[in-house]
Amino acid sequence: MISNPSAPNVFAYLDFRSYLKDYLNYLRQKNSAFTFQTLVEQFGLNSRAHYIDIVKGRKLTGAFLDNYIKICGLTGDAARYFRAIVGYDQARTDAEKTGCFKEILALSPQLETVIVEQEAYRYFSKWYHPVMLSMLDIYKGINDHREIARMFKPKISALQAKQAIQLLTELGFISWDEQRKQWMLHHKFFKCTDKALVIALKEFHKKMIDAGRHAYENDFVNQDFSTLTLSTSMTTKKEIERMIIDFRKTIMEKVKADADPRFVVQMNLQLFELSKPLGGKKQR
């Protein structure tokens, strides 16, 4: 048995279930006589299995949130932070998730995972941020944000272009080489965690779907649009999803090897259900 074990620091976690799992280990190390019945009797859980069920994925409802805060001995900012990471994980809307994320950021700004999440959110918060990165890969010698802004389809303002360049510089994606008189690209692609993808990419995807609609309506002859409406089994649907992933990787490798870029293009790949599954419940 470990003597005088230390309780896990809630501010070191973005996943509240991982925190509760580690806190459970702490309780067991601290007290060899620990039982789940104690949590029922002292903290009002409705069953001895409740704690483990939460760790395994059961929703932590508002009715029991305070109980878990008391179990973990959290007060003040620590309690606020726990509420925020629970809300971030279980939010039903993008607005709720964004609000919880801002609270997390304010309370634990040095957490590495939070820093990555924040960068992803800032990068994808405007559709023209990733486009600007690709734009500067083409127009390397242009250091006038007003001129770059005029290259966009659809148009963006000079101020938006200036802010996008500032953001990419802050994130370390680009820098201006005064000697060569050109932009240096240090990263051409952004990688972020799965959780960041959920909160950061939804709005980006919506904007790019809108951009596709704009191109369809205003420049159809110079674009490539195609659709397929299919009926599939769950097995075939999963196989198509894997094929899309492989196709994306192939496209990425092709682009990385392209030494003479002339256009910035957007490719939207979508596979979504248009009907309820035959037989009721989905088979996953």
Side-chain angles (χ1 to χ4, degrees), residues 149-172:
R150 289 193 288 270
M151 306 291 186
F152 275 73
K153 294 195 311 183
K155 296 284 187 180
I156 66 171
S157 69
L159 177 59
Q160 289 173 323
K162 181 179 181 180
Q163 292 173 338
I165 291 172
Q166 288 175 340
L167 174 66
L168 294 175
T169 302
E170 290 173 12
L171 295 179

Side-chain angles (χ1 to χ4, degrees), residues 246-268:
D246 291 340
F247 180 58
R248 286 170 52 194
K249 291 179 180 178
T250 300
I251 294 294
M252 292 290 284
E253 292 303 318
K254 185 70 175 178
V255 170
K256 289 178 182 178
D258 190 350
D260 187 29
R262 298 297 180 95
F263 305 93
V264 177
V265 300
Q266 175 71 22
M267 183 175 70
N268 294 333

Side-chain angles (χ1 to χ4, degrees), residues 94-137:
D94 293 344
E96 289 178 1
K97 203 170 191 71
T98 299
C100 291
F101 178 73
K102 290 179 178 178
E103 181 79 355
I104 291 168
L105 180 62
L107 292 168
S108 187
Q110 300 306 314
L111 178 59
E112 182 178 357
T113 310
V114 171
I115 293 172
V116 173
E117 301 270 305
Q118 182 196 26
E119 290 180 352
Y121 184 75
R122 293 175 68 197
Y123 181 75
F124 288 111
S125 62
K126 304 294 183 183
W127 68 267
Y128 49 82
H129 290 163
V131 178
M132 178 62 78
L133 185 62
S134 294
M135 194 75 79
L136 296 180
D137 189 30

Side-chain angles (χ1 to χ4, degrees), residues 25 45 54 70 76 83 85 120 127 137 153 166 172 174 178 206 208 213 225 232 240 253 279:
N25 291 334
L45 299 191
I54 295 296
K70 292 176 182 178
R83 289 180 184 277
I85 60 177
W127 68 267
D137 189 30
K153 294 195 311 183
Q166 288 175 340
I174 61 171
E178 190 61 39
K206 293 176 185 177
M208 282 308 178
R213 183 182 298 112
F225 295 96
T232 75
I240 293 172
E253 292 303 318

Side-chain angles (χ1 to χ4, degrees), residues 198-226:
V198 171
I199 189 171
L201 282 181
K202 274 190 173 181
E203 192 62 28
F204 178 76
H205 286 159
K206 293 176 185 177
K207 294 298 184 182
M208 282 308 178
I209 291 171
D210 289 340
R213 183 182 298 112
H214 181 273
Y216 188 92
E217 294 173 351
N218 296 281
D219 197 17
F220 182 85
V221 296
N222 293 318
Q223 316 302 334
D224 188 312
F225 295 96
S226 61

